[in-house]
Amino acid sequence: MKEQLQNMHVIDVHAHPYVANTKPFTADEFVRKLSLSVIPEMFQKQQEQQLVFPGSNMYMQITLQRLAHYFSCRPNIEEVVEIRNERTGDFSKYTQELFQDANLRGLVLDFGYPTPRIPKETYDNLSGIASWEVYRIEPVMVRISKETTDFFAFVEQYRADLQQALQQRHILGLKTIIAYRSGLEIALEDERTAAAQYPEFRENERASVKALRDYCLHIAMEMCTEANKFMHIHTGIGDGEVVLPKASPSFLLDMLRNKKYRDTKVHLVHGGYPWMEEAAFIVSILPNVYMDISLQTPFAGHGVERIISQVFEMAPFHKVMYGSDAFTIPEMNWLGVHLFKECLERVLMDWIRKNYMNEEVALHIAELVLHKNFENAYREHLYEARQ
């Protein structure tokens, strides 16, 4: 089982681009790059060598252990970072070797982070593998709001921009991070209140302005429906800005059950973690809603095994996809694949031992999650990607 899983290629359905680090990392800089935290003081410079780096967690420990094995060195951070610094002298070569080691063949990228935007061609040349894009709507809202004071002109230009983006073949759909701004409890369109909130948004692009954001999401859903492309919605945790009390995918249920969106393809990014059971239930009852297990993999560390098992308590096998949410360095993409396969193997072997299925079925499920579900769901839009 282990060997067969290692030989399966993988499509990472949610990640972000990055560029080469311009200078060698110190140990604390490397740990900071691995972290979801956006607070600079989260990781202070290590004053003396310790077995566990202050502020690190289980995911970081696993990264260190796996990199030490990959580099054939001792699992201490100073030695791992030293070897990494040597190998990243040719950052593109290093990245491509990691991706080949993980059998990572393709990436779905959100270029909305980091800023300023990294050109797709730049990242494609660095990674050397196929990539597609999801087009984030919030930067469009901000950009257009700086160009016009009139709400109705804003809406017209916003629609036109999304339509133009969706016509590009490498763009698989739109994405929203509304969970970071006003939460996932999406109300019906309220044009009057949205218009009233527009001046506040122009003054402060991070303002909640819930009616305006809900209104713009509804437009994006409509545009995806017309283009027959996916609406990607951030669900669950993320960085420290997320509106955590309203980040559960359960808050989306009223909107997703709206007859208006019966045919809209929706992709629940991050599978709602830590509310992944709720995401799993939603994809089990709504035929055009899918989920991925990104961010949970690799950031939940050893918990990935538990998460895979819990997701499949409800989710159909053909509605779940692998993802990483890698966003700063290629080790995130690399570890995500290896950790996911390790945990998936243990889950599948347990199902076989309990006589829930045989090995043939288990391996088929693995293929579905690692690449076939993505290829099947997005099939008509994949031929334009770099091969």
Side-chain angles (χ1 to χ4, degrees):
M1 175 75 74
K2 184 189 295 282
E3 183 177 350
Q4 288 172 296
L5 283 175
Q6 287 175 345
N7 289 332
M8 288 182 188
H9 75 265
V10 178
I11 304 293
D12 184 337
V13 303
H14 183 74
H16 298 267
Y18 38 79
V19 295
N21 47 289
T22 57
K23 61 180 182 178
F25 285 147
T26 61
D28 56 302
E29 287 171 337
F30 182 65
V31 171
R32 192 176 298 118
K33 284 290 184 181
L34 288 174
S35 175
L36 283 172
S37 176
V38 294
I39 303 172
E41 295 78 19
M42 183 70 184
F43 302 99
Q44 300 294 335
K45 185 175 178 62
Q46 189 171 226
Q47 300 302 315
E48 57 185 37
Q49 287 194 13
Q50 299 183 43
L51 287 177
V52 178
F53 195 96
S56 63
N57 61 14
M58 191 61 177
Y59 141 70
M60 296 175 185
Q61 171 60 34
I62 295 171
T63 302
L64 178 65
Q65 191 77 14
R66 293 294 180 268
L67 281 174
H69 179 75
Y70 181 70
F71 293 153
S72 298
C73 70
R74 293 178 299 168
N76 68 68
I77 193 162
E78 289 78 14
E79 194 165 335
V80 166
V81 172
E82 181 181 1
I83 294 175
R84 182 197 189 270
N85 286 338
E86 293 172 0
R87 296 199 180 188
T88 52
D90 186 337
F91 194 85
S92 180
K93 181 175 183 289
Y94 175 67
T95 298
Q96 292 179 28
E97 286 174 347
L98 285 176
F99 288 5
Q100 289 164 10
D101 181 72
N103 210 352
L104 181 60
R105 301 277 185 87
L107 295 159
V108 179
L109 297 167
D110 171 12
F111 287 87
Y113 181 88
T115 56
R117 178 187 169 102
I118 297 170
K120 184 176 184 296
E121 183 179 2
T122 298
Y123 187 78
D124 283 347
N125 290 335
L126 184 151
S127 71
I129 62 175
S131 77
W132 302 269
E133 179 179 353
V134 287
Y135 190 66
R136 192 186 287 201
I137 67 174
E138 282 76 16
V140 180
M141 295 166 59
V142 171
R143 173 166 44 80
I144 296 175
S145 72
K146 296 183 185 302
E147 299 170 356
T148 178
T149 59
D150 180 73
F151 170 74
F152 295 100
F154 162 83
V155 171
E156 184 178 355
Q157 292 179 45
Y158 174 70
R159 283 184 178 274
D161 187 290
L162 298 190
Q163 184 178 46
Q164 183 178 25
L166 287 167
Q167 289 172 350
Q168 299 181 55
R169 288 177 174 173
H170 72 279
I171 292 180
L172 300 182
L174 306 177
K175 183 192 173 184
T176 180
I177 56 164
I178 196 169
Y180 283 110
R181 303 291 182 257
S182 54
L184 296 177
E185 192 172 22
I186 313 301
L188 296 174
E189 300 100 318
D190 183 350
E191 186 175 76
R192 178 178 296 182
T193 306
Q197 292 179 350
Y198 182 62
E200 182 183 355
F201 178 65
R202 294 191 72 243
E203 289 293 321
N204 176 15
E205 65 186 53
R206 296 297 183 95
S208 174
V209 289
K210 184 178 184 305
L212 176 64
R213 294 188 184 279
D214 289 356
Y215 187 80
C216 288
L217 176 54
H218 280 288
I219 291 174
M221 291 281 287
E222 293 168 14
M223 304 296 285
C224 285
T225 308
E226 292 173 9
N228 194 31
K229 291 190 173 182
F230 272 82
M231 184 74 232
H232 286 229
I233 304 176
H234 173 105
T235 60
I237 67 169
D239 68 37
E241 292 186 325
V242 69
V243 184
L244 198 57
K246 293 295 178 72
S248 164
S250 64
F251 288 108
L252 291 169
L253 200 48
D254 284 346
M255 181 185 75
L256 296 177
R257 287 189 295 206
N258 190 323
K259 291 181 180 180
K260 181 179 180 180
Y261 302 128
R262 179 174 294 169
D263 297 322
T264 310
K265 296 175 180 177
V266 174
H267 181 135
L268 301 179
V269 178
H270 309 320
Y273 180 80
W275 301 282
M276 55 277 186
E277 296 101 327
E278 295 176 6
F281 169 71
I282 290 171
V283 303
S284 77
I285 62 170
L286 299 177
N288 293 313
V289 182
Y290 296 74
M291 66 183 287
D292 66 46
I293 310 183
S294 66
L295 186 146
Q296 318 167 53
T297 309
F299 299 104
H302 62 297
V304 173
E305 181 177 349
R306 167 185 59 86
I307 289 163
I308 293 171
S309 181
Q310 286 182 261
V311 164
F312 284 118
E313 289 173 8
M314 277 286 175
F317 296 123
H318 70 284
K319 302 287 286 297
V320 180
M321 294 173 263
Y322 168 78
S324 70
D325 197 30
F327 63 96
T328 54
I329 50 177
E331 288 88 347
M332 286 182 177
N333 304 91
W334 172 82
L335 177 71
V337 173
H338 282 298
L339 180 61
F340 187 83
K341 285 183 174 181
E342 290 172 19
C343 293
L344 181 60
E345 179 202 359
R346 289 194 286 270
V347 171
L348 293 175
M349 289 303 298
D350 184 56
W351 291 349
I352 292 169
R353 282 192 294 270
K354 291 175 177 175
N355 199 29
Y356 294 163
M357 61 187 63
N358 59 31
E359 184 173 334
E360 181 182 14
V361 172
L363 287 169
H364 178 65
I365 291 169
E367 280 192 308
L368 290 176
V369 178
L370 291 172
H371 66 91
K372 282 190 174 179
N373 285 339
F374 166 75
E375 292 161 352
N376 291 335
Y378 290 85
R379 182 178 302 281
E380 66 184 284
H381 303 295
L382 298 186
Y383 56 86
E384 191 68 14
R386 171 180 175 171
Q387 300 295 335

